[in-house]
């Protein structure tokens, strides 16, 4: 029940394409869903996050879509660029008490020039 | 604002040896996390501190792993004795207590056990 399932494991798109990464969770107590971006040799960095009271959030070229009834959320990268090539992790946490993140298994994205 | 500092960046040890990792969180961050990231997997929480108290260590292999945050600031994670399956990147993260839920990660320590 504590797992966050992420797919696909890897993704290759052409520059300008719209890669979509999907995540699913079981625990309905989760109420904070961040996406982290990780470049080789670096720690993960927060990209964008959503709370379940909204169905979509956009920040620049990055959009999270959230489906509370299906317990699924996804990351869309508009007009993808080679610089977006990285590993992306979804995560889930509760906002009550201390924040404890459960991470997905990651998606390695490669954007071809 | 300085980020989360970790050292060393890399460490290679033989199995059954001991190793220690150090983390200095962002100034003022009360919450500190240690994560283990095995190659090709997502980070897995090992232990979470709030100030100098342990909030969650349910996934810490306590027979070989230990961690402390004595003064509520920097922290040390120790493995003794190390096993081959401990080869991973050990990430430290910190966050504000009661404020933004964002966790800020350090660059990690890559441990190779041979």
């Amino acid at each position: 029940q504590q797992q966050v399932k992420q797919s696909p494991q890897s993704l290759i798109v052409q520059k300008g394409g719209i890669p979509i990464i999907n995540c699913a969770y079981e625990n309905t107590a989760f109420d904070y869903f961040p996406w982290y971006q990780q470049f080789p040799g670096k720690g993960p960095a927060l990209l964008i996050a959503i709370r379940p009271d909204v169905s979509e959030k956009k920040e620049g070229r990055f959009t999270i879509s959230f489906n509370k009834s299906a317990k699924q959320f996804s990351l869309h990268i508009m007009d993808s660029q080679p610089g977006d090539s990285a590993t992306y992790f979804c995560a889930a946490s509760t906002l009550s008490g201390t924040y404890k993140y459960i991470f997905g298994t990651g998606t390695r994205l490669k954007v071809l020039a | 604002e300085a980020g989360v500092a970790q050292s060393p960046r890399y460490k290679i040890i033989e199995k059954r040896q001991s190793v220690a990792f150090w983390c200095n969180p962002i100034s003022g961050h009360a919450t500190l996390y240690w994560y283990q990231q095995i190659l090709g997997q997502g980070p897995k929480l090992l232990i979470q501190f709030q100030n100098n108290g342990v909030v969650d260590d349910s996934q810490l292999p306590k027979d070989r792993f230990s961690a402390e945050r004595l003064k509520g600031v920097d922290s040390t994670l120790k493995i003794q004795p190390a096993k081959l399956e401990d080869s991973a990147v050990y990430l430290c993260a910190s966050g504000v207590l009661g404020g933004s839920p964002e966790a800020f990660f350090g660059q990690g320590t890559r441990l190779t056990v041979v």
Side-chain angles (χ1 to χ4, degrees):
Chain A
Q1 197 181 25
Q2 288 293 328
Q3 281 188 326
V4 177
K5 296 181 179 179
Q6 184 172 346
S7 64
Q9 191 172 19
S10 62
L11 196 51
I12 300 175
V13 300
Q14 295 287 339
K15 178 182 174 182
I18 306 176
I20 301 173
I21 305 170
N22 301 298
C23 284
Y25 63 98
E26 289 293 326
N27 188 347
T28 55
F30 290 144
D31 53 7
Y32 178 69
F33 303 90
W35 284 90
Y36 278 80
Q37 180 188 55
Q38 186 176 30
F39 293 104
K42 303 292 185 182
L46 180 65
L47 189 63
I48 185 173
I50 197 168
R51 302 186 187 192
D53 52 345
V54 296
S55 59
E56 185 176 276
K57 183 174 181 180
K58 291 183 180 180
E59 286 187 5
R61 295 184 294 107
F62 301 93
T63 299
I64 299 179
S65 298
F66 186 83
N67 186 329
K68 187 175 182 178
S69 61
K71 292 184 285 187
Q72 295 175 348
F73 57 110
S74 59
L75 176 70
H76 302 233
I77 305 176
M78 306 301 178
D79 187 27
S80 59
Q81 301 296 313
D84 296 329
S85 298
T87 300
Y88 293 81
F89 294 97
C90 61
S93 176
T94 61
L95 291 177
S96 57
T98 59
Y99 309 131
K100 177 181 169 182
Y101 298 91
I102 307 298
F103 283 86
T105 50
T107 297
R108 182 173 292 186
L109 172 66
K110 186 173 180 64
V111 181
L112 303 175
Chain B
E1 177 182 76
V4 176
Q6 289 189 248
S7 67
R9 287 296 312 279
Y10 306 93
K11 190 76 176 177
I12 300 175
I13 62 172
E14 295 183 349
K15 60 183 179 183
R16 292 186 290 274
Q17 286 188 323
S18 63
V19 65
F21 313 127
W22 176 81
C23 171
N24 193 25
I26 293 173
S27 177
H29 281 193
T31 304
L32 186 147
Y33 311 84
W34 282 103
Y35 283 88
Q36 179 192 57
Q37 186 176 21
I38 293 173
L39 186 65
Q41 298 182 19
K44 183 185 87 171
L45 181 68
L46 291 175
I47 189 167
Q48 179 180 355
F49 291 94
Q50 188 170 303
N51 295 309
N52 60 349
V54 175
V55 173
D56 186 342
D57 64 356
S58 58
Q59 297 195 83
L60 187 74
K62 298 181 186 64
D63 58 333
R64 298 185 300 107
F65 286 64
S66 63
E68 59 183 16
R69 192 184 185 198
L70 293 176
K71 296 183 179 179
V73 181
D74 58 344
S75 175
T76 302
L77 177 70
K78 296 180 181 178
I79 308 175
Q80 182 179 11
K83 293 185 176 182
L84 297 177
E85 59 261 36
D86 298 332
S87 294
V89 174
Y90 290 84
L91 293 164
C92 179
S94 68
V96 176
L97 179 63
S100 165
E102 181 177 358
F104 296 82
F105 283 83
Q107 289 189 300
T109 296
R110 181 177 296 276
L111 172 68
T112 302
V113 183
V114 298

